[in-house]
């Protein structure tokens, strides 16, 4: 059977690397990521293809005291202010997608033993998003203001590489819209101006393997709902 | 040194898998991709994270006669009609990015021994984009019309997984805006309606290793131009 012949060390590793990647929601806050390692991960990720090799993005990583100060301000802001992202959230999802999104919320809170009506516990957990779940590294992804979907697609391709490279190095990641909710605050800490849109943020670090958050696994819809060969 | 300790079989494989991935511009047209293998690659790719697990995209793969018929129509269209993509191209790139884009064109044509002023040869090569460089599989990526950047980012993350999974299976890929230049034609062949935007297309298949197109390698800008640790 052709299919078995295709299996190699490389295909086993890519499968493991993909399957062990999760949205990491608890990190070892004091286990620092070696800057050399972080740069190596980024260098590999930037090998991703982009429109005519434009590499139309700029990423800034915050660590240490600066990161702590930013996180403190973001959490305070999130307690009282609604999000004001540079890029408006998508809201008009078709029913099948909405159903998957609703299911994720239901499943996650059930896994965390947080009751549907326990607003206090839900709010407390939601605020942890703005701390990047205590990750030692937060990365903020910028795109020039005048560039739109095609460059966003390129950024995504690069972040797909980043997620898997980090996973191969046993680093956890979580892509978080929350970290891009208050771009003015983030831009202050990352010395970026309004010529750039803050597209998305991500937390990165060594996962806390004992944390209940990290034993949560999400399903994917059946392949036939997202892919078809004609 | 911490960094060396981080090296494992997984990190070697991810590095090889990333470094061997190129924009494949010549395929073995008659070496078919086993549908089971293609589905396996897609299943792994769909493990990519998405906004609240929405998986806000739909992909269709065309092979065989249907693919050949589509390609024929796309090439004819491209000979006389300018592109009419669902998603307007990004045009206002800052100078540093523009420079990288220009360099890619210059380097690629130099590699192919096509003179800068040889319009006929350049046009002939450009038209090969619309054939997906003779790949046995063309994949078309759709997003619901009302969903914009955030869903595009999710699509990119998934395609980043796809590029690397394919690479691990020794399959070549090339992400091609060209394949999304005439969405009305593609939608006819893929039975999709105007509730969807055709975001991007990609060619997929076994690379023709002897082809001059596939010995072309692109540089990336120095890390400091796209990434900074604060």
């Amino acid at each position: 059977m052709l299919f078995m012949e295709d299996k190699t060390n490389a295909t086993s590793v890519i499968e493991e690397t993909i399957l062990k990647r999760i949205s990491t929601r608890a990190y070892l806050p004091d286990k620092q990521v070696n800057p050399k390692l972080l740069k190596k991960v980024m260098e590999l990720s930037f090998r991703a293809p982009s429109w005519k090799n434009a590499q139309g993005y700029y990423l800034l990583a915050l660590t240490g005291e600066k990161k702590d100060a930013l996180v403190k301000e973001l959490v305070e802001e999130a307690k009282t202010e609604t999000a004001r992202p540079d890029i408006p959230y998508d809201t008009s999802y078709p029913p099948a997608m909405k159903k998957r999104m609703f299911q994720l919320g239901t499943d996650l809170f059930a896994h965390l033993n947080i009751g549907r009506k326990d607003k206090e516990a839900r709010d407390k957990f939601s605020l942890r998003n703005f701390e990047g779940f205590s990750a030692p590294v937060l990365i903020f992804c910028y795109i020039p203001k005048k560039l739109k979907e095609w460059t966003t697609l390129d950024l995504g391709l690069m972040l797909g590489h980043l997620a898997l490279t980090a996973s191969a190095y046993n680093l956890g990641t979580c892509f978080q819209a929350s970290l891009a909710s208050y771009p003015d605050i983030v831009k202050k800490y990352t010395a970026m101006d309004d010529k750039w849109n803050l597209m998305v943020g991500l937390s990165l670090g060594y996962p806390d393997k004992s944390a209940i958050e990290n034993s949560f696994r999400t399903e994917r819809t059946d392949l036939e709902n997202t892919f078809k060969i004609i």
Side-chain angles (χ1 to χ4, degrees), chain A residues 96-166:
Chain A
M97 295 174 189
K98 265 194 184 143
K99 200 177 162 191
R100 297 200 275 269
M101 296 162 75
F102 180 79
Q103 194 64 44
L104 174 73
T106 305
D107 292 349
L108 177 59
F109 283 115
H111 180 86
L112 299 174
N113 297 312
I114 295 176
R116 286 198 55 183
K117 293 182 177 174
D118 188 348
K119 192 177 178 306
E120 198 182 322
R122 289 173 77 107
D123 285 352
K124 197 177 159 193
F125 180 78
S126 293
L127 275 182
R128 299 202 49 228
N129 275 286
F130 299 91
E131 302 176 321
F133 305 110
S134 304
V137 183
L138 299 185
I139 298 179
F140 297 93
C141 308
Y142 291 96
I143 286 178
K145 200 134 220 145
K146 290 181 178 175
L147 305 181
K148 306 290 179 189
E149 275 103 328
W150 288 95
T151 305
T152 305
L153 186 76
D154 287 346
L155 175 64
L157 271 154
M158 192 273 285
L159 293 177
H161 282 55
L162 173 54
L164 296 185
T165 307

Side-chain angles (χ1 to χ4, degrees), chain A residues 10 21 26 37 50 59 72 78 86 98 104 115 134 139 155 166 203 205:
Chain A
R21 187 215 60 80
L37 175 58
S50 63
L59 275 69
K72 204 177 158 188
D86 279 341
K98 265 194 184 143
L104 174 73
S134 304
I139 298 179
L155 175 64
S203 47

Side-chain angles (χ1 to χ4, degrees), chain A residues 199-214:
Chain A
M199 180 69 224
V200 71
L202 65 126
S203 47
L204 184 148
Y206 294 95
D208 178 353
K209 289 179 186 169
S210 66
I212 188 172
E213 291 89 336
N214 289 337

Side-chain angles (χ1 to χ4, degrees), chain A residues 66-111:
Chain A
K66 275 218 166 184
K67 189 268 294 177
D68 293 340
L70 166 62
V71 153
K72 204 177 158 188
E73 202 169 328
L74 287 181
V75 171
E76 282 312 304
E77 195 76 3
K79 280 180 185 166
T80 55
E81 304 297 321
T82 53
R84 46 179 184 269
D86 279 341
I87 311 294
Y89 297 141
D90 281 337
T91 49
S92 304
Y93 286 90
M97 295 174 189
K98 265 194 184 143
K99 200 177 162 191
R100 297 200 275 269
M101 296 162 75
F102 180 79
Q103 194 64 44
L104 174 73
T106 305
D107 292 349
L108 177 59
F109 283 115
H111 180 86

